[in-house]
Amino acid sequence: MIRNVAEMPGQTPRNLCRIFTVIFKPAAVLVLLLLALVTGSPPAQAQDADVWVQIEAQPDLAGAEDRARAYAALFPETNGFRLRSGWYAIVLGPFSPAEAERRLATLSSQRLIPTDSFIAFSRNLGDRFWPPEGAALPADPVSAEVAPEVATEPTVTLAKIPDETRAEARDSEVLLTEDQRKDLQTALQWFGFYEGGIDGAYGPGTRASMAAWQEAQGMLEPTGILTSRQRADLMASYADETAAFGFATLTDDEAGITLILPLGLVEFDHYEPPFVHFRSKDPQGPQIILISQPGDQAAFSGLYDVLQTLETVPMTGERSRDEARFRINGLSDTTSTTVFAELRGGLIKGWMLISTPGNEVRDGRILQAMESSFVTDSARALDPGMVPMGAETRAGLLSGLEVRKPRFSRSGFFIDAAGTVLTTAEAVNACGRITLDRGTEATVTLADSASGLALITPTTPLAPRAVAELQLAPERIGTEVMVAGYAYEDRLPAPVMTFGTLEDVTGLNGEAGVKRLAIETLAGDAGGPVLDATGAVIGMLLPAPADSARLLPAGVQFAASASEIARVLAPSGVTLLQSARRSALAPADLAEAGGGMTVLVSCWD
């Protein structure tokens, strides 16, 4: 089950879980409760012609006048009244009741007034102290009978907010609460001007970011102190932009994951363990996938390898990995994907953001929200059996994600202890990249078209289970031979053993360096070792002839001889092992020897 813990479009990830509640001052609460007891009706039913938004109260007149003066620079409708308690209230208004409610909600959400501001009534206010005597008073509220209220929610009109001198800007800045200062830092960070911590402290870093923002707007002096208008402009721009993301804190109880997602851009699609899919609401939008499964270190390593076989995870890009977590940044011409996962307490949790190049700013903000809010339940992970999957789905898909496939795969075999592989030149022709056994990157160090041999070296040294030992002595025609190869390319996890006989030690036209075999093989077997009964390698299987003018009988195949392999590889510096075997191996041991040296060689675009 998925729950939205908080959904506040346009708010920062840090504020998403904050619930904005109208909080009544203690004195006002007492007055309203007494009124309810005396009249027998709820205080909310009292109808005042003049309704106000109380934003602050001060214990002395001098302090109240200073605060009212600063607020008046931002809000011309600022008024001040003495309260029965002896304190001095600073209010905005007057408004009609409905207008007051809307102004309270709007200004609070935009952080232009304290979040504990509330509705006040004229009957609870005493003598006016602000504006000063002789100053023009605000107009009376417009009644619904005279002018019907407009249905659209009013917003702060930036043009009506007076600009300030540098000194006035400092004075108005002093009025900001800690949360308002943090929100300004968050907005500056969102637009790329601020890189420090969100602490509400206006040090050199924050001042520099304010100056950079002012300079970027043009026609503004980069003072490093935002005026009231500039603060309102910045926060309004921030609210407008973040509204489209629809950031909300989401808890998926099945996966045991809580994090912030851009629910304005994505929506829940389906479960397919170990993934929770969120599809894009727009064809050009991002896709998000949560990862949740039980697992140990082996499963964690396996997930890292498997994810990189997906079409949605490009092979190019940075990778980082340790025993507890990994991160993959995949980038291609069509796809930009970021993957994060961690192993903790026998559970593997993480997420994927799948997008397209050109959306770096948008994706960076999504990643920041997800990473800063990612929390996991240490006792729960997605049940692997919650959604049954058929064999066809498992064979072709990884839980609904298309697995990347190589153009084709052929066979090869280890010829030294460092993991150098001999294969057919066809297997490495025009490949964008080459891998060994699905995961190890390799490079071509030799390709000889005349003999059809190629030598490839892994980018990281390997430790083969077995290394080929070449039989350079002449073989007896009619000898039984075995080919070890990935006959079905990458569709099987291990090589197939195919048996046949040695028909001749030359080609059909008497060519030296070629052996003719009577054996039924498939395209994927090409490049595999040809072994005799002792387990010695007498050659390498070549691809079927490409001569379309002649069609050979079924079962006729050719192999490059061991002596030809030694000749071609002599300049490479690879030290080849020569067999001294004399006795035949049992079939199981022969198959073990062939399987231990044979490698899957895959060619990728």
Side-chain angles (χ1 to χ4, degrees), residues 18 27 69 73 104-105 123 125 200 261 293 316 358 368 415 463 485 514 546:
R18 183 182 300 161
R69 183 179 297 107
L104 173 63
R123 64 180 178 271
L125 303 176
L261 292 182
Q293 69 175 74
T316 55
Q368 179 184 6
I415 59 170
V514 178

Side-chain angles (χ1 to χ4, degrees), residues 214-229:
Q214 290 170 321
E215 189 172 13
Q217 306 315 300
M219 305 301 290
L220 294 181
E221 182 183 359
T223 63
I225 304 170
L226 301 183
T227 66
S228 297
R229 179 186 297 194

Side-chain angles (χ1 to χ4, degrees), residues 196-284:
I198 307 299
D199 54 12
Y202 286 0
T206 302
R207 293 298 180 195
S209 70
M210 289 180 177
W213 179 85
Q214 290 170 321
E215 189 172 13
Q217 306 315 300
M219 305 301 290
L220 294 181
E221 182 183 359
T223 63
I225 304 170
L226 301 183
T227 66
S228 297
R229 179 186 297 194
Q230 291 167 6
R231 288 194 299 269
D233 192 3
L234 171 61
M235 294 309 299
S237 299
Y238 172 66
D240 288 344
E241 184 164 330
T242 56
F245 286 82
F247 282 122
T249 299
L250 178 140
T251 294
D252 188 311
D253 291 327
E254 298 290 344
I257 293 175
T258 297
L259 79 170
I260 291 170
L261 292 182
L263 296 182
L265 303 179
V266 300
E267 59 188 356
F268 173 75
D269 189 1
H270 66 284
Y271 289 105
E272 256 179 333
F275 301 121
V276 186
H277 293 258
F278 289 81
R279 63 172 174 261
S280 173
K281 292 183 177 180
D282 182 272
Q284 304 303 317

